[in-house]
Amino acid sequence: MLDLLFHNANSLHFQENIDIGIAGNQITYIKETGSSMPAAKQVIDAEGRVILPGFNESHIHLEKAYLLDKMDRDAHSLKEAIQMTAELKKSFTNEDMKERAARVVEKCIQSGVTNIRAQVEVDDILGLSAMNTIMALKEQYQNQMTIQIVAFPQEGIFIQKRGIELMEEALKMGADAVGGIPYNDRDQAEHLNFVYQLAEKFEKPIDLHIDDSDDPEDLSILDIIKLTKEYHYENKVTVAHMTSLGSVFHEKATAIATKIADASIHVIALPATDLYINGRKDKEKVRRGLTPVSTLLDNKVNVIFATNNIQNPFTPFGTGNILDVAYLLAEVTQMGTAQDAETILDMLTYRSAKALGLEHYGIKVGGTADLVMFDAKLLRNVLLDRPKVICSYKQGKKVI
Ligand SMILES: [Zn+2]
């Protein structure tokens, strides 16, 4: 006997509408909607609406969201955003971080997200206070949201007094991935070597901020491809931003994309930040400042997207609804067809699940019962209308 049966749902990668059955925290039954239905304690008639596996917010900064009321000016470059935020971080308290981070998690829940990968800052300013705060939040929300934590050295590792020690400590505390930001340290190679060694030591995946500029010479991705192969870390490395590749001539960018695909490195576009920060000095032929999403897609790279920042010096925008970011990406990458809309939804679900290493993800027998029903009947309308979430389930338990 099933605990719950969703009847007549439209879902990604299924040709016909389906019935989805749940027992405990798992999906145990999937069949095309027909005349017969299995016995279930509860049946929800989707009436042809879209049901998707919960969205993945695969790159977000929780503890530095919602800082606009603390800012006395806007940042006009990445460097300025980093400096301004470092200054603001001095006034962060545990309570204040918790309140702002929880606001983001609540927004994510409302928009159909069931998995978050959070970049949590570890440096001389915050020490491990952000780690402590987000670890507590992870536990508090465990029945509504799975939160993965990346130990993220925003202020660098080797230019911090306690950088090395704090990164080690964060991993010992239970960080799920090793973060890195080679462009914000004294030596990129030294920084990257440390990250790969730490990840290998703790057997954790790697999640990096890289090449966040519009300078075609900024290509730390080439070193990352080499290291990924050396360490046999294929499929376990994710890079975010990589906007500089968008300024590289197409032929060379294509060759690099092929190598990224070959090393199975996942790429995350962060359009809300990337469009805001990059291309600012261009007076004509103004660049969009985004990683070349279509070139990456054409060359079989697992390219996805995420929110990154909400209302802070890096991105003074953001509603917390991941579908707004989806819409922004679709618009700026000119992905306007019904098929493109499905690709965008695939990035928010199955493709990002690969980057986050989520086992048992998705609508399949044996899949975790993280399901969201939207008030839309066509997949395309989930992107176009950003409809209300009618109900959502985390591991078989009702959240909305
Ligand atoms: Zn980030």
Side-chain angles (χ1 to χ4, degrees), residues 36-50:
S36 67
M37 279 199 280
K41 290 175 194 158
Q42 187 192 358
V43 177
I44 294 177
D45 190 353
E47 296 173 333
R49 290 191 183 86
V50 172

Side-chain angles (χ1 to χ4, degrees), residues 59 61 119 152 209 240-241 270 308-309:
H59 182 121
H61 298 264
Q119 299 277 338
F152 173 50
H209 286 66
H241 297 297
L270 302 168
N308 196 32
N309 284 298

Side-chain angles (χ1 to χ4, degrees), residues 206-270:
I206 291 171
D207 197 317
L208 303 164
H209 286 66
I210 66 158
D211 303 338
D212 189 1
S213 78
D214 41 33
D215 179 351
E217 301 297 315
D218 278 352
L219 290 173
S220 73
I221 184 62
L222 297 175
D223 298 325
I224 290 160
I225 292 166
K226 268 194 208 138
L227 283 165
T228 300
K229 295 212 145 191
E230 262 170 51
Y231 279 78
H232 303 294
Y233 248 59
E234 289 90 347
N235 252 316
K236 291 191 284 188
V237 178
T238 301
V239 296
H241 297 297
M242 206 174 64
T243 53
S244 58
L245 193 64
S247 293
V248 172
F249 283 112
H250 184 63
E251 200 177 323
K252 186 175 172 188
T254 299
I256 294 172
T258 309
K259 289 181 184 164
I260 296 170
D262 181 51
S264 300
I265 292 170
H266 312 283
V267 176
I268 307 187
L270 302 168

Side-chain angles (χ1 to χ4, degrees), residues 80-113:
E80 216 179 320
I82 292 175
Q83 281 167 352
M84 276 175 69
T85 310
E87 205 50 47
L88 293 168
K89 275 158 70 174
K90 291 177 186 164
S91 67
F92 286 8
T93 64
N94 289 353
E95 270 313 299
D96 155 60
M97 284 191 280
K98 187 181 165 192
E99 184 272 321
R100 288 181 291 100
R103 268 166 76 189
V104 179
V105 176
E106 292 289 342
K107 293 276 186 187
C108 288
I109 291 170
Q110 294 305 320
S111 49
V113 173

